[in-house]
Amino acid sequence: QDTPAGVVDAVLASVAWTEEGPFAVLLPDNVRIAGPPPMTAADVAEAGRRGVVLAACHRVGPEKRHYFSDVGRVELDELAPAGAGSRVLGLQERGGSGPFRAAPEGSWRLLPRYAVTAPWVEEARRVAAEAALAGVESDDVVVHRRLAERGLLRAIPWRGTLVDAGHPAGYLWAAHLLHEAGARERDALDRGPAAADDLVSIDLGGL
């Protein structure tokens, strides 16, 4: 990027290096602590064959709106087997104050792990142009919301622990889990609800 213009602009800058094929976006400030890779080469290839955008998703509980902002909590058509992908009906707006609500079994949220295919690039170019005119950074949540409205966004479930290390508290929490916590603690986090506001994890074993 010539100037920091947002996630969408950064992803579009990489399109020329992908030989026009689908590719995965794995935002590095979200660190995978436990669980399998949320997005695989097979997932990306499948998204390309189907002409949809495929994103990994996981269960989350109530979350503070002021902390998470507009980050991709979604409503799914129905849970599909891993790899098939459920249609995303819509993304929640931040709006109001207080926490995002969650059902007892949790709510779905997209992970910063998704397959970029032709529909994503098409929509992203429009979003980037609009953001440039407004003088703001381009956000991939806007792209995903519009793709959901077009019925082109799919989600696959993932079980694991992902930590947002893009701020001081999250960085320290990730460092603790990676370098100080034992395997038992990390595994327990993978199996249970979030142990801190910065941690995004929940048990999918009962689904």
Side-chain angles (χ1 to χ4, degrees):
Q1 294 173 282
D2 294 329
T3 57
V7 174
V8 172
D9 183 73
V11 175
L12 289 175
S14 68
V15 170
W17 300 89
T18 65
E19 298 181 353
E20 300 183 357
F23 60 94
V25 169
L26 313 174
L27 296 187
D29 60 353
N30 284 256
V31 181
R32 178 168 58 94
I33 303 296
M39 183 63 54
T40 66
D43 295 328
V44 174
E46 177 65 15
R49 283 192 294 269
R50 295 170 58 193
V52 298
V53 173
L54 191 63
C57 68
H58 60 168
R59 288 282 200 182
V60 293
E63 297 172 314
K64 297 178 181 177
R65 292 175 188 265
H66 76 273
Y67 176 79
F68 285 100
S69 186
D70 186 7
V71 292
R73 289 172 64 96
V74 299
E75 298 176 8
L76 300 184
D77 188 4
E78 61 182 30
L79 185 61
S86 294
R87 187 167 67 93
V88 175
L89 299 178
L91 279 72
Q92 292 183 7
E93 298 277 358
R94 176 181 179 181
S97 59
F100 287 106
R101 300 295 181 182
E105 68 273 17
S107 298
W108 292 107
R109 177 134 70 94
L110 298 183
L111 292 165
R113 305 286 192 273
Y114 54 86
V116 171
T117 58
W120 195 98
V121 173
E122 173 190 343
E123 196 63 62
R125 285 174 174 154
R126 283 193 285 266
V127 169
E130 294 167 7
L133 287 175
V136 298
E137 293 188 359
S138 51
D139 191 342
D140 57 356
V141 173
V142 179
V143 176
H144 294 154
R145 178 170 287 114
R146 293 184 182 181
L147 288 169
E149 292 171 354
R150 295 170 56 190
L152 294 175
L153 183 60
R154 302 289 191 274
I156 53 175
W158 177 73
R159 174 183 172 178
T161 300
L162 199 77
V163 175
D164 179 1
H167 58 95
Y171 179 87
L172 292 174
W173 180 240
H176 165 71
L177 292 177
L178 287 171
H179 303 296
E180 298 172 353
R184 177 175 295 182
E185 181 179 355
R186 288 193 293 270
D187 291 344
L189 291 170
D190 183 31
R191 290 194 301 270
D197 287 342
D198 309 304
L199 182 65
V200 188
S201 175
I202 199 165
D203 185 2
L204 296 184
L207 296 178

